[in-house]
Amino acid sequence: MPEGHSVHRIALQFERDFVGHLVAVSSPQGRFAAGAAEIDGLRMLEARAVGKQMFLRFEHDKWLRIHLGIYGAWDFFGTISAITAESEALGSIGAPRLRRAVRMAETEHTKDTDLSTFPPEPVGAVRVRLATEDSVADLRGPTACEVIDPAQLATVLERLGPDPATDRSPAAEDRFVTRLRAKPTAVGQLLMDQSVVAGIGNVYRAEMLFRARLNPHTPGKKVTEDQARALWADWVHLLDLGIRTGQMLTMDGLDPEAQALALANREDRHWVYKREGLPCRVCGTHIVVEVMAARKLYWCPFCQK
């Protein structure tokens, strides 16, 4: 499932190439035909991400809400502008080129697609197609895709916890700390609760808990205030890094060779995620895996006593 940094990068892509343009909206699959008709031909005015959800604002106070869920993905075709200098340097969804095809979901990669004819014909179950003269975005497999009004938008946002990519104020930090420490639920579950903090998924949960040397079963109310504030600061850091690079890089202090390996291979990118049965990179204890909050949780029984 795409985590917060991926959704923010997708929103940035829309900001670069769609905001300010009149957009032709259709539903090649047919399942979103009525919603597409509501915003077809309108100008896109804003692209915003909060946690794992994205909101595209069109004229007449109409918002398109998208939650990719586990299977959702965006395919971009045509003009794909640079998002950040870091992502351009890393060869991610970066350097502006015409007639480029890129898929953005949990990971990003260039697709082998014939763009000699533009726009390309929709392939497969495309829920919605957004098209300007130079850029096309196809959405497939989302958990949610709907047109909402400002009141409905406010309701959705009220349910979400703070997202440091949109608000890293002391008030947002305090909100996270208060919500986390008010509950007896295990911290490993609370970090995945989007009403506590927005955007953290399975990878970041495991890595943040290891980086904090915090046992995932620790009740939220037993997490100290200093520990909670340290978790927030780490999420601020990791989310910003993910948005800039397009990668979930959770191992700090790597030399250039190790950095290159981490960028090229997920197995060299994380402390504990998907390393069950392998020795901990710090203490040598075998990493364990269990199910928490319906997702696999990876952690070190020694480092995270």
Side-chain angles (χ1 to χ4, degrees):
M1 179 182 292
E3 304 202 25
H5 76 292
S6 296
V7 183
H8 277 286
R9 287 177 64 82
I10 294 168
L12 285 171
Q13 196 62 60
F14 276 104
E15 182 180 285
R16 299 292 190 273
D17 296 325
F18 288 79
V19 168
H21 296 271
L22 296 175
V23 182
V25 186
S26 60
S27 180
Q29 179 193 56
R31 290 182 57 185
F32 188 64
E38 288 190 60
I39 54 178
D40 181 35
L42 300 183
R43 192 178 305 276
M44 188 182 294
L45 303 179
E46 181 183 351
R48 179 195 306 181
V50 180
K52 299 180 181 182
Q53 301 197 44
M54 186 177 71
F55 308 89
L56 303 175
R57 180 165 68 94
F58 291 82
E59 295 173 301
H60 310 312
D61 278 335
K62 294 183 180 292
W63 291 82
L64 178 61
R65 178 179 84 93
I66 302 101
H67 191 321
L68 292 179
I70 296 176
Y71 303 108
W74 283 98
D75 291 327
F76 288 90
F77 307 98
T79 299
I80 310 295
S81 299
I83 293 179
T84 63
E86 289 90 340
S87 61
E88 182 174 354
L90 293 171
S92 182
I93 185 165
R97 302 182 201 168
L98 290 176
R99 304 299 179 256
R100 195 172 184 219
V102 175
R103 169 160 290 187
M104 298 185 74
E106 180 181 3
T107 58
E108 304 168 14
H109 62 273
T110 302
K111 298 179 63 185
D112 293 326
T113 302
D114 181 7
L115 294 180
S116 57
T117 300
F118 186 84
E121 288 295 317
V123 176
V126 176
R127 183 77 55 88
V128 61
R129 166 168 281 197
L130 305 176
T132 69
E133 291 185 356
D134 299 312
S135 305
V136 169
D138 285 348
L139 173 66
R140 62 188 71 240
T143 292
C145 176
E146 61 176 348
V147 176
I148 59 177
D149 60 30
Q152 291 170 309
L153 172 68
T155 299
V156 173
L157 295 180
E158 180 62 28
R159 292 198 301 261
L160 296 175
D163 179 344
T166 58
D167 183 4
R168 59 180 65 178
S169 67
E173 178 179 341
D174 289 343
R175 184 181 172 198
F176 164 73
V177 171
T178 299
R179 290 191 176 189
L180 182 79
R181 299 186 68 233
K183 299 188 178 185
T185 309
V187 65
Q189 186 170 337
L190 290 172
L191 289 182
M192 296 277 279
D193 184 341
Q194 299 302 296
S195 69
V196 173
V197 58
I200 295 176
N202 208 30
V203 180
Y204 282 127
R205 168 180 69 169
E207 294 296 295
M208 287 174 61
L209 288 171
F210 179 83
R211 289 161 63 93
R213 300 300 191 266
L214 192 57
N215 187 299
H217 296 281
T218 304
K221 63 182 182 180
K222 291 191 175 181
V223 175
T224 68
E225 181 172 340
D226 286 345
Q227 287 174 321
R229 294 193 183 281
L231 283 170
W232 174 261
D234 201 34
W235 179 222
V236 170
H237 165 68
L238 291 175
L239 180 58
D240 177 69
L241 183 63
I243 293 171
R244 288 189 288 106
T245 66
Q247 305 283 359
M248 287 183 275
L249 298 173
T250 55
M251 296 179 65
D252 294 329
L254 300 178
D255 60 38
E257 182 179 355
Q259 179 90 352
L261 288 173
L263 291 171
N265 188 349
R266 177 180 284 179
E267 293 180 1
D268 297 305
R269 196 174 300 166
H270 303 308
W271 290 105
V272 294
Y273 180 69
K274 284 198 171 180
R275 301 194 71 248
E276 69 273 22
L278 296 176
C280 173
R281 299 182 190 275
V282 174
C283 72
T285 302
H286 285 180
I287 301 300
V288 299
V289 61
E290 63 180 90
V291 175
M292 179 180 285
R295 302 294 300 277
K296 290 182 177 179
L297 169 67
Y298 305 85
W299 62 291
C300 173
F302 183 83
C303 290
Q304 297 171 257
K305 286 182 180 179

